[in-house]
Amino acid sequence: MSENILIVGCGDIGTALGKALHSDGYCVTGLKRSTQHPAQSFKMLYGDVTKDIELFDLLTQSTFFDQVVVILTPTERSEKGYKQIYLQGLTNLLSALQQNAASVKKHTPKVFFISSTSVYSQNAGEWVNEQSATNPTNYRGRILLEAEQLITNFGTSNTINTIVRFSGIYGPNRHHLLKQVDEKKAITEKANPHAYTNRIHRNDCVGVLRFLINSHSQQASLAPLYLASDDNPAKKYDVVSWLAKQLMHSHYPESTILNEHTDLNMNKRCDNRLIIEAGYQLQFPSYQAGYISEIERYLRNKSKA
């Protein structure tokens, strides 16, 4: 591939995506805040999207990017932190990309923006898809919707950028639920244990993005929005009970209480048909398929602790 790809946000998913795209033959550049990580197989820039001058200097002096993947993470999980990264930071980034394109007299690049199913507020077991209403009741969903609009409005009238809404991500280094089940703390007092939950394995997050980038390079027509989740929306109690059985625990007590913040906007079912019909094949179509290797990894890490 001769295309230049910029990945903004090279944490776990961004780094894995960069390695995969590099192996596909793309010229990959990553952008991240922290320098406290080992070198990768692709070029890395270090800068903060919330600092506009620093960002402009980095990107306006870089090569033109054909495709850009934006995987932002707030430095603090608060309304202030979300606004800083998803509104201020994203505005800075899009402005710098526009200047980068103008400097070489090219159209703005194709942008893929990673959002979340937190933009949906449905909580009565409804199915949601790309056409479903989005009326978030929390600041996370509201700010992400504003960020999505920035992406939609970016570029020329011929530009169709793509937003990908991931459901709950699990996988390597994401063993919070497994730890809670192991400690019999996974059903909360405030949450309905029989509410539907949705998830996607971290490897499928990487796989979806890799698939979309390759599809765009091959001139395939992409939708402006995809909901990415596995095939198996499942009730939390069913997931927890299955995990408990795999961990060789007795039947999970439904009355177990964990006193922590609970998102009451759960209990919806995510319909992934659009991304599947586009041609993506899930590596882990169900939580059972995805959690088998994660249980082994969790138990290995536990034994070393």
Side-chain angles (χ1 to χ4, degrees):
M1 300 288 180
S2 59
E3 289 190 56
N4 294 311
I5 308 291
L6 175 66
I7 301 174
V8 182
C10 284
D12 177 45
I13 292 174
T15 299
L17 177 62
K19 291 177 179 177
L21 294 175
H22 177 75
S23 71
D24 288 341
Y26 291 97
C27 297
V28 180
T29 300
L31 173 65
K32 66 186 306 180
R33 285 186 297 254
S34 175
T35 61
Q36 304 302 310
H37 295 276
Q40 302 299 334
S41 56
F42 53 92
K43 179 182 177 181
M44 193 70 72
L45 301 175
Y46 299 97
D48 189 336
V49 296
T50 65
K51 299 177 180 178
D52 55 353
I53 296 176
E54 176 181 301
L55 185 66
F56 291 162
D57 288 344
L58 276 174
L59 295 190
T60 54
Q61 296 173 21
S62 299
T63 185
F64 171 74
F65 298 107
D66 301 281
Q67 300 187 60
V68 178
V69 186
V70 183
I71 314 172
L72 300 176
T73 304
T75 55
E76 61 177 68
R77 303 192 75 81
S78 66
E79 185 169 2
K80 176 184 176 182
Y82 266 64
K83 285 182 176 179
Q84 185 178 46
I85 193 73
Y86 287 113
L87 300 183
Q88 177 190 336
L90 185 57
T91 297
N92 291 343
L93 173 64
L94 296 179
S95 178
L97 290 175
Q98 195 164 33
Q99 290 189 33
N100 172 273
S103 68
V104 291
K105 296 182 172 56
K106 291 190 176 184
H107 293 300
T108 53
K110 165 80 173 182
V111 177
F112 294 93
F113 177 71
I114 309 313
S115 186
S116 162
T117 55
S118 65
V119 299
Y120 300 108
S121 61
Q122 289 84 341
N123 61 4
E126 306 99 317
W127 283 95
V128 296
N129 60 22
E130 291 79 2
Q131 284 73 49
S132 297
T134 50
N135 300 297
T137 57
N138 59 58
Y139 71 82
R140 298 187 302 278
R142 289 195 298 269
I143 292 169
L144 279 171
L145 270 184
E146 288 186 57
E148 288 185 6
Q149 195 59 51
L150 291 175
I151 295 296
T152 300
N153 294 339
F154 177 67
T156 66
S157 58
N158 295 323
T159 303
I160 300 178
N161 297 312
T162 295
I163 295 158
V164 182
R165 292 175 181 160
F166 286 133
S167 62
I169 302 172
Y170 72 103
N173 302 315
R174 291 178 171 87
H175 292 158
H176 183 60
L177 181 59
L178 276 172
K179 187 173 187 296
Q180 286 187 324
V181 171
D182 199 21
E183 297 174 354
K184 296 191 175 183
K185 295 179 178 179
I187 300 295
T188 68
E189 183 178 30
K190 295 179 181 179
N192 174 7
H194 298 292
Y196 282 101
T197 58
N198 304 270
R199 77 216 89 248
I200 183 169
H201 194 280
R202 168 264 204 188
N203 290 3
D204 276 312
C205 293
V206 175
V208 164
L209 296 174
R210 185 183 190 181
F211 167 78
L212 291 173
I213 288 166
N214 280 318
S215 296
H216 181 69
S217 294
Q218 294 161 11
Q219 308 301 313
S221 177
L222 298 181
L225 173 64
Y226 291 98
L227 196 166
S229 191
D230 72 18
D231 292 337
N232 186 211
K235 294 178 180 179
K236 183 172 184 180
Y237 187 70
D238 292 340
V239 178
V240 167
S241 296
W242 184 86
L243 289 174
K245 183 178 179 181
Q246 306 311 306
L247 290 169
M248 302 182 71
H249 290 325
S250 59
H251 181 69
Y252 206 92
E254 188 171 333
S255 60
T256 298
I257 294 173
L258 176 64
N259 293 315
E260 67 170 22
H261 170 73
T262 301
D263 189 348
L264 300 180
N265 285 328
M266 296 178 67
N267 198 20
K268 56 182 174 286
R269 288 178 280 180
C270 293
D271 182 348
N272 67 5
R273 279 180 293 179
L274 191 62
I275 188 67
I276 299 303
E277 289 172 356
Y280 181 68
Q281 295 184 339
L282 286 161
Q283 300 173 50
F284 301 103
S286 69
Y287 68 85
Q288 294 97 329
Y291 265 117
I292 288 295
S293 61
E294 296 312 316
I295 290 170
E296 295 175 359
R297 186 179 285 111
Y298 168 76
L299 291 175
R300 284 197 305 271
N301 292 341
K302 181 183 176 182
S303 67
K304 295 176 183 177

